[in-house]
Structure formats: C-alpha cells, structure tokens
Amino acid sequence: MAGSGSGGSRADNGYGSQQPRRRKGPGALATAYLVIYNVVMTAGWLVIAVGLVRAYLAKGSYHSLYYSIEKPLKFFQTGALLEILHCAFGIVPSSVVLTAFQVMSRVFLTWAVTHSVKEVQTEDSVLLFVVAWTITEIIRYSFYTFSLLNHLPYLIKWARYTLFIVLYPMGVSGELLTIYAALPFVRQSGLYSISLPNKYNFSFDYYTFLILVMISYIPIFPQLYFHMLHQRRKVLSHTEEHKKSE
Amino acid sequence: FVSYQVEILDWKTKKQLCFLDKVEPNATIREIRLMFHKLYPQWYPARQSIKLDPKGKSLRDEEILEHLPVGTTATLYFKDLGPQIGWTTVFLIEYTGPLFIYFLFYFRMPFVYGLDERFTSSPHPVVNLACICHSFHYIKRLIETVFVHRFSHGTMPLRNIVKNCLYYWGFAAWLAYYINHPLYTPPSYGKKQINFAVIMFLLCEAGNFSIHVVLSDLQRNGSKIRKIPYPTKNPFTWLFFFVSCPNYTYEVGTWISFTVMTQCVPVGLFTLLCFIQMTIWAKDKHCTYLREFKDYPSLRMPIIPFLL
C-alpha cells in the first residue's frame, strides 16, 4: 500500500510526511550505515526509473513494462524490510509497528499479488503503482540521505511533501486495480487457499482475503492522506527551523 | 500548622479549573480527587489524572500533599482519562463472551454452518470434550474474577474493552467454528493424543488456579505493598522456584494442551499469540520485581524455567 519510514521519521508512509526528529539520533557508525543504505536505495530506484524509460523508448508503448524492471523492483522493494530492523534497533526513531505495516504491505503487493498471479503482470495498473512507487522512493531516500548529512536542499523537502498529493492516489489506484485484476485468477486456481476437511482443521480463502485487503484501503488511505496534508502545512511553513511536531 | 492552597490546571490549556483553599498538609491525592469531583461531578476520581507536570505521570491516591515537591501553594495538572470501567466488569464481559459464543457453534445454530446442519451434533467424542474443556476454562476464569483476583488498578479506559472483546470474542468464534465444523477431522494419533492432552489440560488448570490463590493471598488485607510470591506446600506452586509468573506459564500450557487435543491450527495460532502477549507481561512483571526487591531469587526467569 504505502512506503515506509527510514532515516528518521514517524508516521511516514513513503509518499511524504513528517520530518526527521532532532533527538539524540544514531551514533556515528549507525549514521554512516544509514547514509550508505539510503544512497544504495536511491540508486536502486533510479535504476528502476531508468529501466522504465529505456524500455518505453525501445518498445514504443507503455504496456507490459513490468518485465523490464521486475528483478530490481523485487530486490529493492524487498530490501526495504531492513527498515523494520532499523526501527527495532533504534537507529531510526520511527515506530516498528507502523514501519512494519507499511513495508509489509508493499512487499505483499510485490510478491503475493504481482509475482504470484502471472496474468496481472501485463496490466497497466501495475505500471501505475510502479511509477508512483519509483518517484516516491527516489525522493524519499534522497531526502533521508541529505537529512543525515545535515544538508537538505529545499527542493527535495518540497518535492517530498508535495508530490505525494498526486503520487499517493496514483499508487493506491494502481494497487487496488491490480488486486482487483488478480481476483478471477485466484478464484480459478485456488491460489494460496486451503479448504476443509484436512487434518489441521484450517481453511483459508485467498480470494476473500484479497477482497478484505481492498476494503481495508477505505479507512486507511484517507487517514494517511490527510495526515500528510497536515504535515505538509506544518513543514513547509517552517523553512528556517525544523520544529518538533507532536 | 500551615494550610496549603492547591490550584488545579488543565494539562493542555493551562486554564485554572479549580482553586482549593485551606487544604491540610497531610491530605492525600485521593482526598484532592474527591474535592475536585465535587466541583466537576462528571469527572469521577477514577477518571482524573492528577500530576505535578503536564506531561508527567499520574499521582497515586496514597501520595500525601506535604511530601510532594510543591510549595504551600501547589500547582497540579489535570487530565481527563475518559470514561473508565472497573477491571472486574471488564473481565466478566471478556470471559462471558467466549463461553456463550462457543456454544453457538457447538450446538450448530442455523446461521453458522447452514440450515442443513442446524442443531446436528458431531460424531466425534473429542468435540464434546473440547466444549467441556473450553467452557470449564472460562467458567473457572469467571469464578476467579469474582472470588479470587485482587486488582491493583481500579479501572481501565472504556475504549480498551471494545478492543479486548473484539480480540477474545473474535478468536473464540474463529476456533469454535473449526472445532465444531461438520468437516472436522479428529487428531491423528487418536485416543492417545486426546487423553494425554486432557491430562495436561487439567494439570495446567489446577496449576494456574493454585498460583492465583497464592497471589491473592499476598494481598489479603487489601494492602498495596508488593511482596515476593513464594512456593507453598502445594506442588503446583513449586514452579515459583523457577519462574516469576507461573500463572502465565500454566496458562500457555493450558492452551497448548487444547491445541494438541483438537489438532486445530486456529487454536495453535491463538496459543501463539497468548504466549507472545504473556511473555511480554511476564518480562514486565519480572523487571518490576527485580527493581523493587534487592533479594529477589536469582534463579527465576520470567515465564519459562531457565529459558525466557
């Protein structure tokens, strides 16, 4: 669903939100590691962006571009799982639970939907969320990199807290349309589903589960979106100083 | 003899909510809460968080005014904790739910498994046994809530009860659904597995009850002083040699037994979540004991002997 927070921020959903906190931050070694991590992730998503552009120019159409960036997308999106550990070890002051939720929802969409249901890989909705994620992540990881180095250009800050206005709904639309497209194939193949009777006395219907996931977007998306609009007003009206927000 | 003046401000707006004149130096926070309640009847004492610092911890009822770091004109801050509900009430609601919800599935109410299966009964004896065990567990808990437990905190916020009930009731419905399902498959190792599980279940329930009795006896006279629980002549309490919270250990044991008895994954998942939650509580309790008592037995672990 949404992105995750790393390099210092609470309630960050990856489409742009709170600023890093100036508390007693990570030590020198942790900071160095985080800078490297964020630089690598920025580079990774740039690779994906370049891959998309090149494939588009080569093919002449924007259909089925997923295949040209499939591997780096899987690699770098899955790599974001490290951000959960960053929070768990306290080198990033975000909530472990929130970060885990955000990263897992992205990883879920990447592996349990797009990778698992091959038939949706040619859908245009996949391109929709991949583009949204790519732009968001490039900005987000460079934001963290610059913040850690205490040299944040206003443009990056502005981009992070403004572009989400378009990117977030774009990404959510792409995600929902992709899940919706996957439904008939899941029903047909019985993917990840188990039915009674069996000796573990358990049943799971992946089709119903996906529908519940889609429904969960209804309460969650508006909350995160309006939270970010609120954050935007706060952050961009204090260009001189970073104020502690609570 | 100096009498104090106490002003109480709202923790957020810093507006003065009340000014108490001629307060005795040995007045307790409980008495101050009562005085505040008289002025604001909607904020009963359990709902009042009174603190020295707007962002600080709530003062306990027993604290005495002259022992606090305040001058003769004391400034205290008030925060409304929201509607509160008593712990006993909470537990009664939390435990009655699963008891009756399970019956809806056991007796196969028409809307549960479809009209064709309504009011039928399972051919497997283990299903009846599971119902007896599950009901026994929650009836025991209800009895303990009324007659045995002594709660250190009086109340909890009302919104917690919605969350807690959703969890307990939801899980009870989920696991009852599978155990009482017409397509239920009995355990792979048959009678041996079931009998072993029943014995473990009963032993753990007896153990859990014994520990609750010991803990309750520690606070017999309503004294709020914490004491270290020790093993008694009852062999079930000997787990206290190895563990700080044997009641949680036995509780996890009960649910493991129930999982083995029913061989049902949802029960196993519930057991896992119980284990995680109780480990967190046990570690917390264990740390509190270590902080408060210098001579706390060093052999003890929080919940699993020697391990966790």
Side-chain angles (χ1 to χ4, degrees), chain A residues 136-172:
Chain A
T136 304
E137 298 300 67
I138 292 172
I139 296 172
R140 184 167 73 90
Y141 285 116
S142 45
F143 177 90
Y144 290 137
T145 309
F146 287 116
S147 298
L148 284 164
L149 299 171
N150 282 324
H151 194 84
L152 180 65
Y154 181 75
L155 180 66
I156 306 269
K157 181 158 82 167
W158 178 88
R160 187 174 178 225
Y161 285 98
T162 306
L163 296 182
F164 79 86
I165 295 176
V166 166
L167 292 175
Y168 195 8
M170 187 174 145
V172 166

mmCIF file of all heavy atoms in Angstrom, chain A residues 136-172:
data_model
loop_
_atom_site.group_PDB
_atom_site.id
_atom_site.type_symbol
_atom_site.label_atom_id
_atom_site.label_comp_id
_atom_site.label_asym_id
_atom_site.label_seq_id
_atom_site.Cartn_x
_atom_site.Cartn_y
_atom_site.Cartn_z
ATOM 1 N N THR A 136 8.307 8.260 -5.743
ATOM 2 C CA THR A 136 8.251 8.479 -4.292
ATOM 3 C C THR A 136 9.527 8.017 -3.608
ATOM 4 O O THR A 136 10.090 8.743 -2.783
ATOM 5 C CB THR A 136 7.064 7.700 -3.697
ATOM 6 O OG1 THR A 136 5.873 8.080 -4.358
ATOM 7 C CG2 THR A 136 6.937 7.969 -2.213
ATOM 8 N N GLU A 137 9.969 6.816 -3.927
ATOM 9 C CA GLU A 137 11.117 6.269 -3.224
ATOM 10 C C GLU A 137 12.404 7.022 -3.556
ATOM 11 O O GLU A 137 13.255 7.218 -2.684
ATOM 12 C CB GLU A 137 11.283 4.773 -3.532
ATOM 13 C CG GLU A 137 10.121 3.886 -3.088
ATOM 14 C CD GLU A 137 9.863 3.927 -1.588
ATOM 15 O OE1 GLU A 137 9.449 4.987 -1.077
ATOM 16 O OE2 GLU A 137 10.071 2.917 -0.907
ATOM 17 N N ILE A 138 12.550 7.433 -4.810
ATOM 18 C CA ILE A 138 13.753 8.194 -5.154
ATOM 19 C C ILE A 138 13.810 9.469 -4.307
ATOM 20 O O ILE A 138 14.840 9.796 -3.709
ATOM 21 C CB ILE A 138 13.778 8.552 -6.654
ATOM 22 C CG1 ILE A 138 13.953 7.282 -7.494
ATOM 23 C CG2 ILE A 138 14.899 9.544 -6.965
ATOM 24 C CD1 ILE A 138 13.796 7.508 -8.985
ATOM 25 N N ILE A 139 12.697 10.164 -4.230
ATOM 26 C CA ILE A 139 12.659 11.392 -3.430
ATOM 27 C C ILE A 139 12.861 11.084 -1.955
ATOM 28 O O ILE A 139 13.632 11.736 -1.253
ATOM 29 C CB ILE A 139 11.318 12.126 -3.643
ATOM 30 C CG1 ILE A 139 11.198 12.567 -5.100
ATOM 31 C CG2 ILE A 139 11.202 13.317 -2.710
ATOM 32 C CD1 ILE A 139 9.847 13.111 -5.461
ATOM 33 N N ARG A 140 12.157 10.049 -1.461
ATOM 34 C CA ARG A 140 12.219 9.747 -0.036
ATOM 35 C C ARG A 140 13.628 9.366 0.405
ATOM 36 O O ARG A 140 14.151 9.880 1.396
ATOM 37 C CB ARG A 140 11.242 8.619 0.284
ATOM 38 C CG ARG A 140 11.151 8.285 1.761
ATOM 39 C CD ARG A 140 9.960 7.392 2.045
ATOM 40 N NE ARG A 140 10.173 6.025 1.566
ATOM 41 C CZ ARG A 140 10.721 5.066 2.301
ATOM 42 N NH1 ARG A 140 11.115 5.312 3.522
ATOM 43 N NH2 ARG A 140 10.872 3.855 1.802
ATOM 44 N N TYR A 141 14.266 8.450 -0.334
ATOM 45 C CA TYR A 141 15.591 8.008 0.092
ATOM 46 C C TYR A 141 16.629 9.114 -0.055
ATOM 47 O O TYR A 141 17.546 9.215 0.760
ATOM 48 C CB TYR A 141 16.008 6.750 -0.682
ATOM 49 C CG TYR A 141 15.291 5.506 -0.213
ATOM 50 C CD1 TYR A 141 14.437 4.811 -1.059
ATOM 51 C CD2 TYR A 141 15.464 5.030 1.093
ATOM 52 C CE1 TYR A 141 13.773 3.673 -0.626
ATOM 53 C CE2 TYR A 141 14.804 3.898 1.527
ATOM 54 C CZ TYR A 141 13.956 3.220 0.665
ATOM 55 O OH TYR A 141 13.300 2.108 1.101
ATOM 56 N N SER A 142 16.492 9.970 -1.068
ATOM 57 C CA SER A 142 17.450 11.078 -1.166
ATOM 58 C C SER A 142 17.188 12.099 -0.061
ATOM 59 O O SER A 142 18.115 12.689 0.481
ATOM 60 C CB SER A 142 17.412 11.731 -2.547
ATOM 61 O OG SER A 142 16.098 11.943 -2.960
ATOM 62 N N PHE A 143 15.912 12.256 0.310
ATOM 63 C CA PHE A 143 15.568 13.116 1.440
ATOM 64 C C PHE A 143 16.296 12.652 2.695
ATOM 65 O O PHE A 143 16.918 13.439 3.409
ATOM 66 C CB PHE A 143 14.058 13.095 1.642
ATOM 67 C CG PHE A 143 13.567 13.890 2.810
ATOM 68 C CD1 PHE A 143 13.222 15.219 2.667
ATOM 69 C CD2 PHE A 143 13.448 13.313 4.067
ATOM 70 C CE1 PHE A 143 12.764 15.963 3.741
ATOM 71 C CE2 PHE A 143 12.995 14.044 5.151
ATOM 72 C CZ PHE A 143 12.652 15.370 4.982
ATOM 73 N N TYR A 144 16.235 11.349 2.966
ATOM 74 C CA TYR A 144 16.889 10.815 4.164
ATOM 75 C C TYR A 144 18.398 10.960 4.079
ATOM 76 O O TYR A 144 19.061 11.283 5.063
ATOM 77 C CB TYR A 144 16.520 9.346 4.362
ATOM 78 C CG TYR A 144 15.090 9.135 4.770
ATOM 79 C CD1 TYR A 144 14.320 8.127 4.203
ATOM 80 C CD2 TYR A 144 14.492 9.951 5.727
ATOM 81 C CE1 TYR A 144 13.006 7.932 4.572
ATOM 82 C CE2 TYR A 144 13.169 9.763 6.096
ATOM 83 C CZ TYR A 144 12.434 8.764 5.512
ATOM 84 O OH TYR A 144 11.134 8.575 5.868
ATOM 85 N N THR A 145 18.934 10.715 2.884
ATOM 86 C CA THR A 145 20.383 10.829 2.721
ATOM 87 C C THR A 145 20.832 12.251 3.068
ATOM 88 O O THR A 145 21.736 12.444 3.883
ATOM 89 C CB THR A 145 20.794 10.502 1.266
ATOM 90 O OG1 THR A 145 20.209 9.247 0.894
ATOM 91 C CG2 THR A 145 22.291 10.446 1.122
ATOM 92 N N PHE A 146 20.192 13.220 2.450
ATOM 93 C CA PHE A 146 20.573 14.609 2.704
ATOM 94 C C PHE A 146 20.338 15.014 4.148
ATOM 95 O O PHE A 146 21.128 15.746 4.742
ATOM 96 C CB PHE A 146 19.814 15.559 1.773
ATOM 97 C CG PHE A 146 20.293 15.513 0.355
ATOM 98 C CD1 PHE A 146 19.465 15.073 -0.664
ATOM 99 C CD2 PHE A 146 21.594 15.904 0.035
ATOM 100 C CE1 PHE A 146 19.910 15.031 -1.973
ATOM 101 C CE2 PHE A 146 22.043 15.862 -1.271
ATOM 102 C CZ PHE A 146 21.201 15.419 -2.284
ATOM 103 N N SER A 147 19.237 14.519 4.745
ATOM 104 C CA SER A 147 18.954 14.858 6.145
ATOM 105 C C SER A 147 20.040 14.333 7.054
ATOM 106 O O SER A 147 20.481 15.025 7.964
ATOM 107 C CB SER A 147 17.619 14.252 6.579
ATOM 108 O OG SER A 147 16.580 14.773 5.811
ATOM 109 N N LEU A 148 20.475 13.088 6.793
ATOM 110 C CA LEU A 148 21.520 12.507 7.628
ATOM 111 C C LEU A 148 22.818 13.291 7.510
ATOM 112 O O LEU A 148 23.598 13.375 8.448
ATOM 113 C CB LEU A 148 21.759 11.046 7.226
ATOM 114 C CG LEU A 148 20.696 10.049 7.702
ATOM 115 C CD1 LEU A 148 20.812 8.746 6.931
ATOM 116 C CD2 LEU A 148 20.836 9.787 9.186
ATOM 117 N N LEU A 149 23.032 13.871 6.319
ATOM 118 C CA LEU A 149 24.251 14.644 6.124
ATOM 119 C C LEU A 149 24.047 16.100 6.507
ATOM 120 O O LEU A 149 24.918 16.938 6.287
ATOM 121 C CB LEU A 149 24.697 14.538 4.653
ATOM 122 C CG LEU A 149 25.016 13.120 4.192
ATOM 123 C CD1 LEU A 149 25.243 13.075 2.686
ATOM 124 C CD2 LEU A 149 26.263 12.616 4.912
ATOM 125 N N ASN A 150 22.881 16.405 7.074
ATOM 126 C CA ASN A 150 22.538 17.756 7.527
ATOM 127 C C ASN A 150 22.649 18.801 6.438
ATOM 128 O O ASN A 150 23.099 19.912 6.667
ATOM 129 C CB ASN A 150 23.434 18.161 8.714
ATOM 130 C CG ASN A 150 22.950 17.519 9.991
ATOM 131 O OD1 ASN A 150 21.759 17.377 10.197
ATOM 132 N ND2 ASN A 150 23.880 17.108 10.823
ATOM 133 N N HIS A 151 22.265 18.399 5.244
ATOM 134 C CA HIS A 151 22.370 19.338 4.127
ATOM 135 C C HIS A 151 21.208 19.113 3.180
ATOM 136 O O HIS A 151 21.380 18.606 2.076
ATOM 137 C CB HIS A 151 23.707 19.098 3.421
ATOM 138 C CG HIS A 151 24.071 20.211 2.492
ATOM 139 N ND1 HIS A 151 24.697 21.356 2.931
ATOM 140 C CD2 HIS A 151 23.878 20.360 1.169
ATOM 141 C CE1 HIS A 151 24.876 22.154 1.896
ATOM 142 N NE2 HIS A 151 24.396 21.593 0.819
ATOM 143 N N LEU A 152 20.014 19.473 3.638
ATOM 144 C CA LEU A 152 18.814 19.130 2.880
ATOM 145 C C LEU A 152 18.398 20.280 1.958
ATOM 146 O O LEU A 152 18.010 21.346 2.418
ATOM 147 C CB LEU A 152 17.682 18.826 3.860
ATOM 148 C CG LEU A 152 16.325 18.452 3.263
ATOM 149 C CD1 LEU A 152 16.422 17.143 2.519
ATOM 150 C CD2 LEU A 152 15.294 18.353 4.369
ATOM 151 N N PRO A 153 18.494 20.063 0.640
ATOM 152 C CA PRO A 153 18.051 21.117 -0.280
ATOM 153 C C PRO A 153 16.544 21.305 -0.184
ATOM 154 O O PRO A 153 15.787 20.334 -0.061
ATOM 155 C CB PRO A 153 18.424 20.570 -1.666
ATOM 156 C CG PRO A 153 19.284 19.391 -1.435
ATOM 157 C CD PRO A 153 18.961 18.874 -0.079
ATOM 158 N N TYR A 154 16.104 22.536 -0.241
ATOM 159 C CA TYR A 154 14.680 22.823 -0.110
ATOM 160 C C TYR A 154 13.868 22.096 -1.167
ATOM 161 O O TYR A 154 12.756 21.647 -0.910
ATOM 162 C CB TYR A 154 14.412 24.331 -0.176
ATOM 163 C CG TYR A 154 12.958 24.660 -0.015
ATOM 164 C CD1 TYR A 154 12.348 24.588 1.232
ATOM 165 C CD2 TYR A 154 12.167 24.989 -1.121
ATOM 166 C CE1 TYR A 154 10.995 24.857 1.377
ATOM 167 C CE2 TYR A 154 10.820 25.261 -0.977
ATOM 168 C CZ TYR A 154 10.241 25.200 0.284
ATOM 169 O OH TYR A 154 8.908 25.451 0.425
ATOM 170 N N LEU A 155 14.439 21.967 -2.352
ATOM 171 C CA LEU A 155 13.721 21.305 -3.446
ATOM 172 C C LEU A 155 13.303 19.882 -3.068
ATOM 173 O O LEU A 155 12.185 19.460 -3.354
ATOM 174 C CB LEU A 155 14.604 21.274 -4.708
ATOM 175 C CG LEU A 155 13.967 20.598 -5.925
ATOM 176 C CD1 LEU A 155 12.764 21.406 -6.410
ATOM 177 C CD2 LEU A 155 14.974 20.444 -7.061
ATOM 178 N N ILE A 156 14.233 19.172 -2.447
ATOM 179 C CA ILE A 156 13.913 17.790 -2.060
ATOM 180 C C ILE A 156 12.820 17.779 -1.004
ATOM 181 O O ILE A 156 11.884 16.983 -1.056
ATOM 182 C CB ILE A 156 15.162 17.062 -1.513
ATOM 183 C CG1 ILE A 156 16.316 17.134 -2.484
ATOM 184 C CG2 ILE A 156 14.841 15.629 -1.122
ATOM 185 C CD1 ILE A 156 16.417 16.009 -3.466
ATOM 186 N N LYS A 157 12.935 18.664 -0.042
ATOM 187 C CA LYS A 157 11.924 18.723 1.007
ATOM 188 C C LYS A 157 10.573 19.060 0.395
ATOM 189 O O LYS A 157 9.558 18.425 0.687
ATOM 190 C CB LYS A 157 12.315 19.772 2.051
ATOM 191 C CG LYS A 157 11.289 19.852 3.181
ATOM 192 C CD LYS A 157 11.856 20.447 4.450
ATOM 193 C CE LYS A 157 11.877 21.934 4.417
ATOM 194 N NZ LYS A 157 12.133 22.499 5.754
ATOM 195 N N TRP A 158 10.574 20.051 -0.489
ATOM 196 C CA TRP A 158 9.332 20.456 -1.138
ATOM 197 C C TRP A 158 8.732 19.292 -1.919
ATOM 198 O O TRP A 158 7.538 19.025 -1.842
ATOM 199 C CB TRP A 158 9.598 21.640 -2.080
ATOM 200 C CG TRP A 158 8.360 22.073 -2.803
ATOM 201 C CD1 TRP A 158 7.434 22.971 -2.398
ATOM 202 C CD2 TRP A 158 7.901 21.562 -4.071
ATOM 203 N NE1 TRP A 158 6.419 23.076 -3.318
ATOM 204 C CE2 TRP A 158 6.677 22.232 -4.358
ATOM 205 C CE3 TRP A 158 8.402 20.630 -4.989
ATOM 206 C CZ2 TRP A 158 5.943 21.982 -5.523
ATOM 207 C CZ3 TRP A 158 7.676 20.379 -6.140
ATOM 208 C CH2 TRP A 158 6.458 21.055 -6.395
ATOM 209 N N ALA A 159 9.613 18.615 -2.679
ATOM 210 C CA ALA A 159 9.143 17.508 -3.514
ATOM 211 C C ALA A 159 8.511 16.425 -2.652
ATOM 212 O O ALA A 159 7.430 15.911 -2.954
ATOM 213 C CB ALA A 159 10.311 16.926 -4.312
ATOM 214 N N ARG A 160 9.170 16.100 -1.548
ATOM 215 C CA ARG A 160 8.681 15.037 -0.689
ATOM 216 C C ARG A 160 7.323 15.368 -0.105
ATOM 217 O O ARG A 160 6.454 14.508 0.041
ATOM 218 C CB ARG A 160 9.673 14.772 0.422
ATOM 219 C CG ARG A 160 9.260 13.571 1.200
ATOM 220 C CD ARG A 160 10.275 13.184 2.216
ATOM 221 N NE ARG A 160 9.746 12.036 2.927
ATOM 222 C CZ ARG A 160 9.773 11.900 4.228
ATOM 223 N NH1 ARG A 160 10.312 12.842 4.963
ATOM 224 N NH2 ARG A 160 9.281 10.837 4.792
ATOM 225 N N TYR A 161 7.140 16.623 0.260
ATOM 226 C CA TYR A 161 5.897 16.985 0.913
ATOM 227 C C TYR A 161 4.842 17.519 -0.039
ATOM 228 O O TYR A 161 3.804 17.987 0.379
ATOM 229 C CB TYR A 161 6.170 17.999 2.029
ATOM 230 C CG TYR A 161 6.795 17.348 3.230
ATOM 231 C CD1 TYR A 161 8.172 17.388 3.434
ATOM 232 C CD2 TYR A 161 6.025 16.656 4.153
ATOM 233 C CE1 TYR A 161 8.747 16.758 4.521
ATOM 234 C CE2 TYR A 161 6.595 16.039 5.247
ATOM 235 C CZ TYR A 161 7.956 16.084 5.424
ATOM 236 O OH TYR A 161 8.521 15.469 6.491
ATOM 237 N N THR A 162 5.113 17.488 -1.322
ATOM 238 C CA THR A 162 4.135 17.998 -2.278
ATOM 239 C C THR A 162 3.701 16.958 -3.294
ATOM 240 O O THR A 162 2.520 16.817 -3.580
ATOM 241 C CB THR A 162 4.693 19.231 -3.016
ATOM 242 O OG1 THR A 162 5.108 20.187 -2.068
ATOM 243 C CG2 THR A 162 3.649 19.825 -3.942
ATOM 244 N N LEU A 163 4.680 16.232 -3.845
ATOM 245 C CA LEU A 163 4.346 15.303 -4.919
ATOM 246 C C LEU A 163 3.424 14.183 -4.476
ATOM 247 O O LEU A 163 2.716 13.591 -5.292
ATOM 248 C CB LEU A 163 5.621 14.721 -5.533
ATOM 249 C CG LEU A 163 6.493 15.760 -6.221
ATOM 250 C CD1 LEU A 163 7.721 15.119 -6.853
ATOM 251 C CD2 LEU A 163 5.698 16.514 -7.285
ATOM 252 N N PHE A 164 3.404 13.916 -3.158
ATOM 253 C CA PHE A 164 2.546 12.843 -2.678
ATOM 254 C C PHE A 164 1.085 13.122 -3.018
ATOM 255 O O PHE A 164 0.288 12.190 -3.153
ATOM 256 C CB PHE A 164 2.691 12.662 -1.161
ATOM 257 C CG PHE A 164 1.929 13.677 -0.350
ATOM 258 C CD1 PHE A 164 0.596 13.472 -0.031
ATOM 259 C CD2 PHE A 164 2.545 14.843 0.071
ATOM 260 C CE1 PHE A 164 -0.114 14.409 0.703
ATOM 261 C CE2 PHE A 164 1.839 15.779 0.809
ATOM 262 C CZ PHE A 164 0.508 15.560 1.119
ATOM 263 N N ILE A 165 0.758 14.397 -3.145
ATOM 264 C CA ILE A 165 -0.629 14.773 -3.403
ATOM 265 C C ILE A 165 -1.165 14.051 -4.642
ATOM 266 O O ILE A 165 -2.319 13.648 -4.702
ATOM 267 C CB ILE A 165 -0.763 16.299 -3.564
ATOM 268 C CG1 ILE A 165 -0.420 16.981 -2.235
ATOM 269 C CG2 ILE A 165 -2.172 16.692 -4.001
ATOM 270 C CD1 ILE A 165 -0.420 18.491 -2.303
ATOM 271 N N VAL A 166 -0.284 13.894 -5.618
ATOM 272 C CA VAL A 166 -0.663 13.160 -6.831
ATOM 273 C C VAL A 166 -0.229 11.697 -6.754
ATOM 274 O O VAL A 166 -0.985 10.791 -7.093
ATOM 275 C CB VAL A 166 -0.032 13.830 -8.077
ATOM 276 C CG1 VAL A 166 -0.118 12.925 -9.284
ATOM 277 C CG2 VAL A 166 -0.704 15.162 -8.342
ATOM 278 N N LEU A 167 0.994 11.479 -6.254
ATOM 279 C CA LEU A 167 1.557 10.131 -6.281
ATOM 280 C C LEU A 167 0.816 9.139 -5.395
ATOM 281 O O LEU A 167 0.676 7.964 -5.733
ATOM 282 C CB LEU A 167 3.032 10.178 -5.861
ATOM 283 C CG LEU A 167 3.966 10.881 -6.831
ATOM 284 C CD1 LEU A 167 5.364 10.952 -6.236
ATOM 285 C CD2 LEU A 167 4.000 10.149 -8.165
ATOM 286 N N TYR A 168 0.358 9.610 -4.242
ATOM 287 C CA TYR A 168 -0.291 8.683 -3.330
ATOM 288 C C TYR A 168 -1.588 8.120 -3.930
ATOM 289 O O TYR A 168 -1.746 6.894 -4.001
ATOM 290 C CB TYR A 168 -0.513 9.371 -1.982
ATOM 291 C CG TYR A 168 -0.855 8.449 -0.846
ATOM 292 C CD1 TYR A 168 -0.795 7.072 -0.962
ATOM 293 C CD2 TYR A 168 -1.256 8.977 0.380
ATOM 294 C CE1 TYR A 168 -1.119 6.239 0.083
ATOM 295 C CE2 TYR A 168 -1.577 8.153 1.431
ATOM 296 C CZ TYR A 168 -1.518 6.776 1.283
ATOM 297 O OH TYR A 168 -1.844 5.974 2.319
ATOM 298 N N PRO A 169 -2.516 8.985 -4.379
ATOM 299 C CA PRO A 169 -3.714 8.416 -5.001
ATOM 300 C C PRO A 169 -3.386 7.581 -6.236
ATOM 301 O O PRO A 169 -4.047 6.575 -6.491
ATOM 302 C CB PRO A 169 -4.533 9.656 -5.402
ATOM 303 C CG PRO A 169 -4.013 10.756 -4.575
ATOM 304 C CD PRO A 169 -2.581 10.452 -4.320
ATOM 305 N N MET A 170 -2.352 8.003 -6.949
ATOM 306 C CA MET A 170 -1.959 7.246 -8.148
ATOM 307 C C MET A 170 -1.529 5.835 -7.768
ATOM 308 O O MET A 170 -1.960 4.838 -8.360
ATOM 309 C CB MET A 170 -0.803 7.994 -8.813
ATOM 310 C CG MET A 170 -0.374 7.467 -10.138
ATOM 311 S SD MET A 170 0.859 8.591 -10.809
ATOM 312 C CE MET A 170 1.909 7.456 -11.654
ATOM 313 N N GLY A 171 -0.677 5.761 -6.768
ATOM 314 C CA GLY A 171 -0.192 4.459 -6.317
ATOM 315 C C GLY A 171 -1.314 3.589 -5.785
ATOM 316 O O GLY A 171 -1.416 2.404 -6.116
ATOM 317 N N VAL A 172 -2.161 4.169 -4.971
ATOM 318 C CA VAL A 172 -3.271 3.407 -4.390
ATOM 319 C C VAL A 172 -4.191 2.885 -5.483
ATOM 320 O O VAL A 172 -4.626 1.723 -5.447
ATOM 321 C CB VAL A 172 -4.048 4.283 -3.379
ATOM 322 C CG1 VAL A 172 -5.375 3.655 -3.027
ATOM 323 C CG2 VAL A 172 -3.239 4.488 -2.117
#
